[in-house]
Amino acid sequence: MSLILAFETSCDDTSVAIVDHQGEILANVIHSQTQHQQFGGIVPEIGSRSHIEQIHICTLRALEIAHINLAQVDAIAATFAPGLLGPLLVGAQYAKGLAASLKKPLIAIHHIEGHVLSGYLQKDFLKPPFIALIVSGGHTALYHVDKNYSMQTLGQTLDDAAGEAFDKIGRALGFSYPAGKIISEWAQNGDKNKFAFPIPMIKHKSLDFSFSGLKTKALDVIKKHDLNNQTIKADFCASLQEVICLSLIEKTFLALSNLSINSLVLGGGVVANYRLREMIIAKSKEKNISLFLPPIPLCTDNAVMIARAAHLKLSQGKISTLEQDVFANLHIEQSYVLYDV
Ligand code: KG4
Ligand code: ZN
């Protein structure tokens, strides 16, 4: 049995997981930072300090839950890119320290590869090649994943990520950060046809996304309507959610048909959205596409996905050095820079 202890600290969650060679989760500890809510977005320095306070506590907790000690861990993994530099450094340095003292291999992971591989080693995960749609607060992009799990970007957002659009519009509605889940809860009681929002990028044949035009339109509607009225607020949320989902689905199925691929993997915080899930399940059925949707707790940032991605890298002989740096930005095509071989 091979056990990987993994860390994910690229944003506002301190997450530590222990996952075995079959992908089974022995522990998955997440400390979510709530300190940012009053600021309406993440304050990197506050985030870094909280990660420093929490990472050791979360690690001890994970070892306790898994009923193992550090000597039983076979490899250490952490997110090294992309993300907020301070938070990334905390997880990366802690992982390097453990790898050095335990004399175990270090595996640096690209956060997006983690999202794509959140279901790797699970029975229902799909064999590559497949298309991956990753939708989060920082990213909205489509990838082609080849038979060796090499990833190539097909299209991405030209401005805001879908989660960022939810968060920024939610802020204007007075919702706390992150607002995606709150908007989806309001949407459950609303009429999705009440507000005629344009479906972003629907007329463009490229595989890129754009949500800033929708954001401007939504902020304008907020100014003109009484969003304190509960019914109007619910209708607004349902209509907004619908067009964001439609835009994501349109581009994803365009990618599948352009590349003649019939397997689809989703990941990222926005994939926790119930409407996106039900729409993508229905359309995949209709188009005969094999679909992998991560369970909701593994959509938002977590270290399980980092551990599972690390199991793949380990099986491919990819190991990182203790000198490995972190990167705020790193294209998925360049994730090879994280490995020594
Ligand atoms: O993957 P993630 O945890 O962090 C990033 O890597 O960005 O994604 C967080 C994003 C936030 O923008 C949040 O508003 C959004 O995911 N989100 C949702 C839902 N749950 C989380 N958006 C829509 N509906 C949801 N249920
Ligand atoms: Zn993420």
Side-chain angles (χ1 to χ4, degrees):
M1 179 147 96
S2 153
L3 293 180
I4 293 189
L5 170 62
F7 303 95
E8 155 57 45
T9 62
S10 65
C11 196
D12 57 343
D13 293 316
T14 314
S15 178
V16 181
I18 299 167
V19 175
D20 76 12
H21 62 292
Q22 292 177 317
E24 290 311 309
I25 305 169
L26 278 70
N28 178 22
V29 177
I30 301 182
H31 173 268
S32 295
Q33 300 174 2
T34 50
Q35 300 94 314
H36 307 285
Q37 285 183 356
Q38 56 184 311
F39 304 107
I42 295 158
V43 183
E45 191 51 34
I46 295 176
S48 306
R49 284 163 197 264
S50 173
H51 284 305
I52 291 169
E53 281 168 20
Q54 291 298 328
I55 195 158
H56 190 59
I57 298 171
C58 291
T59 304
L60 294 179
R61 182 91 190 102
L63 291 166
E64 186 187 328
I65 292 169
H67 298 294
I68 61 160
N69 56 51
L70 276 175
Q72 290 169 272
V73 169
D74 297 287
I76 309 288
T79 307
F80 273 59
L84 300 169
L85 270 184
L88 279 174
L89 268 173
V90 178
Q93 292 303 108
Y94 190 85
K96 282 184 196 177
L98 278 180
S101 61
L102 297 168
K103 299 191 173 50
K104 299 285 158 99
L106 173 73
I107 305 154
I109 297 293
H110 188 290
H111 182 80
I112 299 299
E113 289 196 323
H115 275 303
V116 172
L117 296 166
S118 73
Y120 177 67
L121 294 170
Q122 295 304 98
K123 275 192 229 49
D124 54 345
F125 197 61
L126 302 173
K127 289 221 171 349
F130 54 74
I131 298 290
L133 168 69
I134 302 302
V135 210
S136 71
H139 305 270
T140 297
L142 283 161
Y143 303 96
H144 174 250
V145 182
D146 76 12
K147 61 179 186 348
N148 300 317
Y149 293 93
S150 286
M151 302 184 196
Q152 188 204 345
T153 309
L154 300 172
Q156 58 194 324
T157 183
L158 303 173
D159 38 61
D160 292 347
E164 194 179 356
F166 273 119
D167 296 337
K168 286 180 176 169
I169 297 166
R171 188 180 182 188
L173 290 170
F175 296 153
S176 62
Y177 175 89
K181 186 163 184 272
I182 309 172
I183 291 183
S184 80
E185 282 159 6
W186 275 88
Q188 298 220 358
N189 302 314
D191 175 356
K192 61 181 166 44
N193 300 314
K194 209 67 179 196
F195 289 93
F197 290 121
I199 304 171
M201 298 288 277
I202 199 80
K203 292 200 185 86
H204 294 251
K205 287 295 156 217
S206 83
L207 296 174
D208 289 327
F209 302 90
S210 167
F211 295 99
S212 73
L214 174 65
K215 181 185 69 190
T216 307
K217 170 87 183 158
L219 297 180
D220 193 47
V221 169
I222 292 174
K223 273 193 210 132
K224 291 184 178 143
H225 291 78
D226 176 16
L227 268 296
N228 289 321
N229 177 303
Q230 308 268 305
T231 310
I232 297 177
K233 200 169 186 168
D235 291 345
F236 175 92
C237 290
S239 306
L240 176 76
Q241 171 178 270
E242 192 70 9
V243 292
I244 292 178
C245 293
L246 281 170
S247 168
L248 293 169
I249 286 176
E250 179 71 25
K251 296 295 175 186
T252 302
F253 282 83
L254 186 59
L256 287 161
S257 111
N258 283 358
L259 279 85
S260 303
I261 287 181
N262 55 15
S263 296
L264 173 63
V265 167
L266 262 65
V270 178
V271 179
N273 185 280
Y274 77 93
R275 183 67 185 138
L276 181 61
R277 293 175 85 91
E278 70 186 22
M279 283 165 88
I280 214 122
I281 289 170
K283 183 115 183 187
S284 298
K285 237 180 222 158
E286 179 198 322
K287 300 276 179 194
N288 224 357
I289 299 294
S290 307
L291 173 67
F292 176 80
L293 277 178
I296 288 172
L298 294 188
C299 290
T300 44
D301 289 349
N302 64 86
V304 170
M305 67 187 198
I306 302 305
R308 288 187 176 152
H311 272 294
L312 170 67
K313 299 293 176 187
L314 201 56
S315 75
Q316 295 175 329
K318 291 182 179 166
I319 307 277
S320 312
T321 69
L322 293 177
E323 284 75 47
Q324 181 59 54
D325 233 332
V326 298
F327 300 94
N329 296 300
L330 182 69
H331 292 300
I332 209 161
E333 289 82 357
Q334 289 172 330
S335 70
Y336 63 84
V337 304
L338 300 174
Y339 308 104
D340 196 27
V341 284

Short mmCIF file of all heavy atoms in Angstrom, two decimals, residues 58 60 69 106 108-109 135 141 155 297 301 330:
data_model
loop_
_atom_site.label_atom_id
_atom_site.label_comp_id
_atom_site.label_asym_id
_atom_site.label_seq_id
_atom_site.Cartn_x
_atom_site.Cartn_y
_atom_site.Cartn_z
N CYS A 58 -4.14 20.92 11.07
CA CYS A 58 -4.89 20.08 10.11
C CYS A 58 -4.12 18.79 9.82
O CYS A 58 -4.74 17.73 9.65
CB CYS A 58 -5.13 20.84 8.80
SG CYS A 58 -6.29 22.20 8.96
N LEU A 60 -2.00 17.15 11.86
CA LEU A 60 -2.13 16.25 13.03
C LEU A 60 -3.51 15.59 13.03
O LEU A 60 -3.66 14.41 13.30
CB LEU A 60 -1.90 17.02 14.34
CG LEU A 60 -0.47 17.55 14.53
CD1 LEU A 60 -0.36 18.31 15.85
CD2 LEU A 60 0.56 16.42 14.49
N ASN A 69 0.88 7.13 11.44
CA ASN A 69 1.87 8.13 11.83
C ASN A 69 2.68 8.53 10.60
O ASN A 69 2.59 7.88 9.55
CB ASN A 69 2.75 7.63 12.98
CG ASN A 69 3.43 6.32 12.62
OD1 ASN A 69 4.04 6.22 11.56
ND2 ASN A 69 3.27 5.33 13.47
N LEU A 106 8.91 14.15 -2.91
CA LEU A 106 8.03 15.33 -2.95
C LEU A 106 7.41 15.39 -4.35
O LEU A 106 8.11 15.23 -5.35
CB LEU A 106 8.84 16.60 -2.70
CG LEU A 106 8.09 17.92 -2.89
CD1 LEU A 106 7.11 18.16 -1.74
CD2 LEU A 106 9.06 19.10 -3.00
N ALA A 108 5.14 17.97 -6.58
CA ALA A 108 4.48 19.27 -6.73
C ALA A 108 3.33 19.11 -7.74
O ALA A 108 3.49 18.45 -8.76
CB ALA A 108 5.49 20.29 -7.25
N ILE A 109 2.19 19.69 -7.42
CA ILE A 109 1.01 19.51 -8.28
C ILE A 109 0.48 20.86 -8.77
O ILE A 109 0.44 21.84 -8.03
CB ILE A 109 -0.09 18.72 -7.52
CG1 ILE A 109 0.39 17.31 -7.16
CG2 ILE A 109 -1.40 18.69 -8.30
CD1 ILE A 109 0.60 16.37 -8.35
N VAL A 135 -14.36 24.76 -13.75
CA VAL A 135 -15.05 26.03 -13.48
C VAL A 135 -14.94 26.37 -12.00
O VAL A 135 -15.55 25.69 -11.16
CB VAL A 135 -16.56 25.96 -13.80
CG1 VAL A 135 -17.07 27.33 -14.22
CG2 VAL A 135 -16.90 24.92 -14.81
N ALA A 141 -12.19 27.06 -17.86
CA ALA A 141 -11.46 26.64 -19.05
C ALA A 141 -11.82 25.22 -19.46
O ALA A 141 -12.30 24.43 -18.65
CB ALA A 141 -9.95 26.74 -18.81
N GLY A 155 -9.79 26.38 -24.58
CA GLY A 155 -10.44 27.68 -24.48
C GLY A 155 -10.51 28.06 -23.02
O GLY A 155 -10.47 27.19 -22.14
N PRO A 297 -18.54 17.54 -2.39
CA PRO A 297 -17.44 18.00 -1.52
C PRO A 297 -16.07 18.01 -2.21
O PRO A 297 -15.16 18.68 -1.74
CB PRO A 297 -17.44 16.98 -0.38
CG PRO A 297 -18.76 16.32 -0.44
CD PRO A 297 -19.20 16.35 -1.87
N ASP A 301 -12.13 23.45 -3.58
CA ASP A 301 -10.73 23.10 -3.34
C ASP A 301 -10.56 22.10 -2.20
O ASP A 301 -11.18 22.25 -1.14
CB ASP A 301 -9.93 24.37 -3.05
CG ASP A 301 -9.77 25.21 -4.30
OD1 ASP A 301 -10.08 24.72 -5.39
OD2 ASP A 301 -9.34 26.37 -4.16
N LEU A 330 0.93 29.57 -13.96
CA LEU A 330 1.66 28.53 -14.71
C LEU A 330 0.66 27.84 -15.63
O LEU A 330 -0.33 27.26 -15.16
CB LEU A 330 2.29 27.52 -13.75
CG LEU A 330 3.13 26.41 -14.39
CD1 LEU A 330 4.43 26.98 -14.99
CD2 LEU A 330 3.48 25.33 -13.37
#
